[in-house]
Amino acid sequence: MEKLVALCKRRGFIYPGSEIYGGLTGTWDYGPLGVELKKNIKDQWWKSMVQLREDVVGIDAAIMMNPKTWEKSGHVKAFADPLVECKLCHQRFRADKKDEINEHGKNNHPGLIVDWTDARQFNLLVKAYLGIIEDKQSEIYLRGEITQGAFVNFENVVSSTRVKIPFGIAQIGKAFRNEITPGNFTYRSREFEQMELEFFVKPEDGEGDKWFEYWKKERMDWYKSLGMNAGKLRFRKHEDTERAHYAKYAEDIEFDAPFGWSEFEGVHHRGDWDLSRHNLSYVEEGEKYTPWVIETSGGVDRSALFFLLNSYSEDGDRIILKLNPKLAPYKVAVFPLLANKPDLVSKAKEIYDNLKPQFMVAWDDRGNIGKRYFAQDEAGTPYCVTVDFQSLEDDTVTIRDRDTAKQERIKVDRIHKYLEEKLT
Ligand SMILES: [Zn+2]
């Protein structure tokens, strides 16, 4: 884990949020490589959940919503964690995190007996104030989940598109939670991005169960199709006591992280909780009913972290990020063998310029070629193209594969086709 955190900072995947001012707990900034990784994850998700489907449409709802939304959704009342406080240092912890509570005593107050307060409820919604006149400002919440945006737009989507039940509304966006104990790098943050599907079905047990199982499989398959190691993934059913206030039943997809099995996507049967709370219904051939909702709720940041952990490997002193090429920040790097030979540089530049419109391409002419390969391996770049002296004679280049470190010579006019085949 420490190695990955160091790599993320060194190579520009993830930095601590507002670091020059000492940071802000629970926030992270994505650097040039991290933003590409996240964008690729979101693009792949959108492609599989919206573009390739006839029964799902996308929306992008506002982060700031009428506060009634959160009263109706139950978050103002129930979106709370029971907290206990250490009487020695007043640090607070979630009462259900027994391990963290035990660790705290051992690490922070060795040899002392730690006394804890009784558990008290603490709401996770982040408050904000809106309006230009100070004493007339209205109190709102930054959305604690993107989910409600799909529900408040349910009628708009039904009346402005041709969707018919069963159908889904997909959305990607930021959400905010006043997490008490953010931690494990980006895993538990106060600002994070979600990618969610709300799928509306007829309120019948058979339909609900069928689609719940369907979406469980779809989502698990999606992670595997992008290279997530099947042995590091599992489903975990929520116990009756831990289910969120809206859930009829729920299962998590978990990853075997260095800090233990950890949730990064939930599949939830929300029943008619949300639509009935918002007084929404659906009319089908004269029959009016409140649909049930099957939800798939994934974290973009958690996915990014787990894809990074899943792909991290070492070979001697070489670090290789074996990211699926579809997720890799740069698809290809182009080098002139020597930076001080203008013929090599101009030929390499030409190739770089030709690839740019279609692929994210890295350019590197520093140091020796071995060091450049090392640098691209660390960034997860699947292919490196090198222009050498032979290139000037026969219009060929070497193309190197990140995972095998093998090189082959191909014609310059074949590079596009070669990459297209490997990347799609
Ligand atoms: Zn303490």
Side-chain angles (χ1 to χ4, degrees):
M1 191 71 191
E2 291 89 59
K3 284 177 178 176
L4 185 82
V5 174
L7 174 76
C8 282
K9 171 124 199 251
R10 186 170 75 245
R11 293 311 314 266
F13 278 97
I14 303 168
Y15 313 123
S18 30
E19 195 182 12
I20 61 165
Y21 294 112
L24 178 68
T25 307
T27 66
W28 299 91
D29 294 342
Y30 286 79
L33 294 187
V35 69
E36 294 296 329
L37 171 63
K38 251 174 84 163
K39 180 177 173 295
N40 293 338
I41 290 171
K42 289 185 275 183
D43 286 349
Q44 288 299 320
W45 187 87
W46 199 262
K47 188 173 178 188
S48 92
M49 300 298 271
V50 181
Q51 189 182 332
L52 293 174
R53 299 193 68 97
E54 287 154 32
D55 55 357
V56 176
V57 292
I59 61 161
D60 181 18
I63 286 173
M64 300 188 289
M65 304 177 79
N66 188 310
K68 273 207 182 100
T69 311
W70 304 107
E71 279 163 38
K72 291 285 184 185
S73 71
H75 285 79
V76 172
K77 223 181 211 167
F79 197 45
D81 277 338
L83 296 188
V84 294
E85 188 175 304
C86 168
K87 285 187 179 171
L88 292 174
C89 71
H90 305 290
Q91 219 177 307
R92 290 173 179 175
F93 293 87
R94 275 168 59 173
D96 57 337
K97 299 280 170 189
K98 297 278 183 255
D99 290 350
E100 285 173 22
I101 290 168
N102 289 334
E103 286 292 303
H104 175 76
K106 261 185 261 161
N107 296 338
N108 296 51
H109 314 293
L112 295 175
I113 294 165
V114 181
D115 215 5
W116 296 91
T117 63
D118 291 336
R120 276 188 26 218
Q121 294 292 317
F122 184 91
N123 197 287
L124 297 180
L125 288 172
V126 176
K127 273 185 194 163
Y129 300 90
L130 210 56
I132 46 168
I133 304 162
E134 183 111 30
D135 58 358
K136 287 204 174 150
Q137 281 178 335
S138 54
E139 192 178 279
I140 61 159
Y141 301 103
L142 301 184
R143 62 184 176 191
E145 59 173 20
I146 63 171
T147 325
Q148 297 303 322
F151 300 133
V152 300
N153 284 292
F154 178 77
E155 280 179 351
N156 283 335
V157 170
V158 169
S159 64
S160 61
T161 70
R162 292 164 172 221
V163 291
K164 283 203 165 65
I165 278 185
F167 77 91
I169 298 178
Q171 192 179 196
I172 298 176
K174 292 240 178 175
F176 304 82
R177 283 181 198 174
N178 210 347
E179 285 286 355
I180 310 316
T181 49
N184 290 325
F185 197 25
T186 58
Y187 181 72
R188 211 185 299 147
S189 306
R190 289 182 169 143
E191 171 177 344
F192 52 94
E193 211 165 4
Q194 297 182 305
M195 39 189 187
E196 290 193 343
L197 170 75
E198 307 304 322
F199 197 80
F200 304 95
V201 304
K202 276 196 153 178
E204 294 164 5
D205 285 335
E207 281 292 287
D209 292 353
K210 181 181 92 184
W211 286 106
F212 185 74
E213 290 305 319
Y214 172 86
W215 283 112
K216 267 175 61 187
K217 182 173 184 315
E218 278 292 301
R219 297 307 304 142
M220 184 63 106
D221 289 350
W222 185 78
Y223 288 106
K224 289 181 191 163
S225 77
L226 289 170
M228 207 69 104
N229 177 351
K232 285 187 168 271
L233 296 175
R234 73 174 189 193
F235 280 112
R236 194 183 65 84
K237 234 191 190 116
H238 280 208
E239 302 297 331
D240 288 348
T241 50
E242 63 176 324
R243 265 200 312 270
H245 61 276
Y246 50 74
K248 217 167 142 83
Y249 37 93
E251 283 192 44
D252 289 338
I253 300 178
E254 292 189 332
F255 180 78
D256 188 6
F259 43 86
W261 284 96
S262 307
E263 181 224 331
F264 68 120
E265 171 142 356
V267 182
H268 309 133
H269 190 322
R270 294 177 78 116
D272 66 0
W273 168 267
D274 304 275
L275 292 184
S276 63
R277 297 277 298 195
H278 292 302
N279 266 322
L280 295 164
S281 56
Y282 181 82
V283 178
E284 183 176 349
E285 288 162 8
E287 183 204 350
K288 191 171 161 184
Y289 62 84
T290 307
W292 283 355
V293 175
I294 308 298
E295 166 184 75
T296 72
S297 172
V300 181
D301 309 82
R302 289 179 174 189
S303 288
L305 175 60
F306 292 160
F307 275 118
L308 285 169
L309 283 166
N310 182 70
S311 68
Y312 185 94
S313 65
E314 293 177 347
D315 179 13
D317 56 358
R318 210 174 122 218
I319 295 170
I320 313 155
L321 277 189
K322 296 187 171 176
L323 286 168
N324 183 294
K326 286 178 184 154
L327 302 182
Y330 289 108
K331 309 305 178 193
V332 57
V334 179
F335 315 139
L337 182 65
L338 299 169
N340 57 1
K341 299 284 181 224
D343 289 355
L344 293 180
V345 173
S346 72
K347 186 155 188 80
K349 194 80 207 327
E350 197 184 309
I351 293 169
Y352 173 77
D353 286 338
N354 280 332
L355 291 173
K356 242 178 3 187
Q358 208 177 337
F359 306 104
M360 278 300 293
V361 193
W363 171 268
D364 196 355
D365 58 8
R366 300 161 306 170
N368 68 45
I369 200 84
K371 277 200 179 137
R372 295 184 215 157
Y373 285 150
F374 268 46
Q376 294 304 324
D377 288 342
E378 274 194 341
T381 310
Y383 302 102
C384 292
V385 167
T386 302
V387 172
D388 55 17
F389 291 104
Q390 192 181 326
S391 309
L392 302 177
E393 283 161 27
D394 64 3
D395 212 36
T396 62
V397 291
T398 66
I399 188 157
R400 173 186 175 273
D401 182 292
R402 173 195 69 199
D403 297 343
T404 63
K406 287 213 176 83
Q407 298 182 28
E408 51 182 311
R409 275 205 99 79
I410 65 169
K411 281 275 190 195
V412 167
D413 59 14
R414 279 266 309 140
I415 301 174
H416 247 100
K417 194 112 207 145
Y418 181 98
L419 291 173
E420 259 169 18
E421 280 165 15
K422 302 274 190 183
L423 295 170
T424 48

